[in-house]
Amino acid sequence: MKKRVFAILPLLALMLCFAVTGVSAEGELHFERKSISLFVSQSYQLTALGETDIIVFTSSDDNVAMVDESGLVTALAAGKADITVTGVNGLYDTCSLTVLEGTAPTGVKLESQSVNIRVGEGYTLNASVRPKDAADKSLFFYSSDESVATVDENGYIKAIKPGVAVVTAESASAAVSSRCMVKVTASDEQGSMDVNINGVLYSIAGKKMSDYIVEMKGRVTERTTTDSDGKFSLEDIPQGDYTLSVYRSSAPKKAVASAKLAVSSYNLNISCIINSKELVVLYQELAANNADLTDITLQQSAVVLDCGETYDMTFTTRPANAGTPVLSVHSSDEAIAAVDSDYRITGVSPGKATITFTTLDGKITKTCVVTVTRVNSNQYSGIIIGLEITIILLIVILFSISYKKYQREREQSEFLSEEDEEVLEELSED
């Protein structure tokens, strides 16, 4: 009996030790992020998940960073500190904080603000930190609902089930971020694009090329079809730039031929042949509502913006029933004016930049010159004009007062001169 008691005592002691000191139970109480970086004077709201009854947030070095009762961390000086959250039952978790010096990130630019993908498909969300000379350009990605869409450390989004999730690209310095809405549709749902790619592969001699694989691969969508008859048909291809490749079914990893294709918001039909390992497009129709696009007209060819002000560019097509094409956009200087895929122009810093809008086929290009002025420059100009008008009015009023005073003094002087002459005349008569 005594041996059993002595055998149990170490176990009881160990259990008591854990009960007193607490254990790190990530599954029950843990930070959303295990490590963050901040620049001096920046703040970040840490989020603790799991247990709702939290006792306190503490910092291992109050000279480097302080944290309040809600988990808001404020960086004070360059260095490192551990931020700890502790629950009522002794559970805790720690987040490693690094406080940096140098140019702090001011924003995160996303290539797209919204993405539509199907279950099982993937999409890489390209993001970059601003400004270009930021000391820390690394990014952290996370999804608001991983049951709908997940995202890895490189920004690759994977569609899991139909629904909507928000993917956030956050600067590793944790002070700035941008969000992208991800809409996931079922694999059997029809997308918004009405696109068909079909045809028959032939050699230059007219021989049908059987047992081949045709692949349509883009940044968002990948479609593959195999048909022993040599025919291929791909439907519902979203807009974007693609590579159409042909593979032998016996060697699917080595392309026999390939060609670059651009799919806009039009219907697209392609037939092609293989000639000396070259994919030759024989027929390509870009049309919408039976009308060919001949030109586009931007709403404005020149825009004046204050720093931080935005302008949503719109355009019209010729003919009017040619549909709405997708345009690629580019700024000659993003440090002055930036533009996103929704054609929203943002003034960044004073100066001039040219925004270029180009159709995906490269046939039509339009430009808009953006002049960025200092914040509230229009307001300041109004104030200056108002001050100038006020000064002019004051000058006119002062001149009027001085002139009236001069007139009165002159009249008095003339009156006194007449009296003096009368007195002299009286004296002379006497």
Side-chain angles (χ1 to χ4, degrees):
M1 181 66 181
K2 291 183 178 179
K3 291 182 178 179
R4 290 185 178 180
V5 172
F6 284 116
I8 295 175
L9 283 177
L11 178 60
L12 292 175
L14 183 61
M15 293 175 63
L16 181 61
C17 179
F18 275 110
V20 172
T21 61
V23 294
S24 177
E26 183 175 336
E28 298 180 31
L29 177 63
H30 65 279
F31 280 118
E32 186 177 33
R33 292 188 59 173
K34 294 300 181 184
S35 63
I36 60 172
S37 299
L38 293 174
F39 286 81
V40 176
S41 300
Q42 284 187 335
S43 296
Y44 182 73
Q45 181 65 56
L46 279 175
T47 302
L49 305 176
E51 183 181 325
T52 57
D53 297 326
I54 297 172
I55 292 180
V56 68
F57 291 90
T58 57
S59 171
S60 64
D61 191 340
D62 290 333
N63 294 321
V64 174
M66 59 181 293
V67 58
D68 65 12
E69 64 277 3
S70 68
L72 180 66
V73 181
T74 302
L76 303 177
K80 293 187 176 183
D82 290 330
I83 307 300
T84 302
V85 58
T86 306
V88 293
N89 59 359
L91 299 177
Y92 68 88
D93 196 21
T94 300
C95 176
S96 175
L97 168 67
T98 302
V99 180
L100 306 172
E101 292 181 321
T103 303
T106 58
V108 175
K109 180 184 177 182
L110 294 182
E111 184 180 43
S112 179
Q113 302 295 326
S114 62
V115 175
N116 295 327
I117 53 179
R118 294 185 178 187
V119 173
E121 293 181 348
Y123 176 81
T124 299
L125 182 63
N126 293 321
S128 58
V129 174
R130 290 180 172 178
K132 293 181 179 180
D133 62 344
D136 186 2
K137 296 183 179 180
S138 54
L139 289 164
F140 173 76
F141 296 89
Y142 58 91
S143 170
S144 64
D145 191 343
E146 293 192 341
S147 67
V148 173
T150 61
V151 61
D152 66 14
E153 66 276 7
N154 298 316
Y156 180 77
I157 301 170
K158 181 72 174 180
I160 306 300
K161 71 175 185 180
V164 176
V166 176
V167 171
T168 300
E170 187 176 87
S171 164
S173 66
V176 291
S177 63
S178 290
R179 294 172 175 82
C180 174
M181 185 179 73
V182 180
K183 182 180 180 181
V184 179
T185 58
S187 57
D188 57 349
E189 289 183 14
Q190 291 296 318
S192 59
M193 309 311 300
D194 181 17
V195 178
N196 295 287
I197 298 179
N198 53 71
V200 179
L201 291 176
Y202 287 94
S203 68
I204 195 66
K207 179 183 177 182
K208 185 181 294 185
M209 307 293 285
S210 302
D211 299 322
Y212 275 69
I213 298 172
V214 178
E215 179 190 71
M216 204 51 189
K217 189 173 183 180
R219 190 180 58 213
V220 180
T221 301
E222 181 175 340
R223 299 277 195 276
T224 304
T225 184
T226 304
D227 194 323
S228 59
D229 194 23
K231 297 179 181 179
F232 66 94
S233 178
L234 300 170
E235 298 182 356
D236 193 27
I237 304 295
Q239 60 198 21
D241 296 323
Y242 294 86
T243 300
L244 179 62
S245 302
V246 180
Y247 301 86
R248 293 184 184 274
S249 57
S250 58
K253 293 185 178 180
K254 184 178 181 180
V256 175
S258 62
K260 298 292 185 180
L261 298 174
V263 178
S264 66
S265 58
Y266 309 128
N267 296 323
L268 177 62
N269 296 284
I270 298 174
S271 296
C272 53
I273 62 172
I274 297 176
N275 178 24
S276 301
K277 297 185 179 182
E278 180 183 4
L279 188 65
V280 181
V281 177
L282 295 181
Y283 176 74
Q284 183 172 352
E285 179 184 4
L286 295 177
N289 300 326
N290 298 319
D292 293 330
L293 180 69
T294 59
D295 198 9
I296 62 172
T297 302
L298 299 179
Q299 185 182 32
Q300 298 288 343
S301 59
V303 175
V304 178
L305 299 175
D306 285 334
C307 292
E309 188 179 5
T310 61
Y311 175 80
D312 293 326
M313 179 64 75
T314 59
F315 58 90
T316 57
T317 61
R318 187 185 305 167
N321 65 336
T324 304
V326 176
L327 306 179
S328 63
V329 290
H330 171 73
S331 173
S332 63
D333 193 339
E334 290 189 348
I336 295 176
V339 60
D340 62 21
S341 57
D342 295 324
Y343 316 136
R344 172 168 291 183
I345 303 171
T346 303
V348 179
S349 62
K352 284 190 176 183
T354 300
I355 308 298
T356 303
F357 298 79
T358 307
T359 55
L360 294 182
D361 59 11
K363 294 180 179 179
I364 302 174
T365 298
K366 299 292 181 179
T367 59
C368 174
V369 177
V370 180
T371 302
V372 181
T373 59
R374 297 189 181 278
V375 177
N376 296 327
S377 61
N378 294 333
Q379 179 180 350
Y380 292 152
S381 297
I383 293 174
I384 292 172
I385 294 173
L387 288 174
E388 290 176 348
I389 294 175
T390 302
I391 292 172
I392 293 172
L393 289 174
L394 287 174
I395 292 173
V396 171
I397 293 172
L398 290 173
F399 176 80
S400 177
I401 293 172
S402 299
Y403 182 77
K404 289 182 179 180
K405 183 178 179 181
Y406 167 77
Q407 288 288 91
R408 286 197 300 269
E409 290 176 352
R410 182 177 180 183
E411 289 175 357
Q412 290 177 357
S413 175
E414 290 177 354
F415 176 76
L416 290 174
S417 297
E418 291 177 357
E419 286 186 342
D420 291 339
E421 289 178 359
E422 291 178 358
V423 170
L424 289 173
E425 288 177 359
E426 290 178 357
L427 291 173
S428 60
E429 289 175 357
D430 293 336

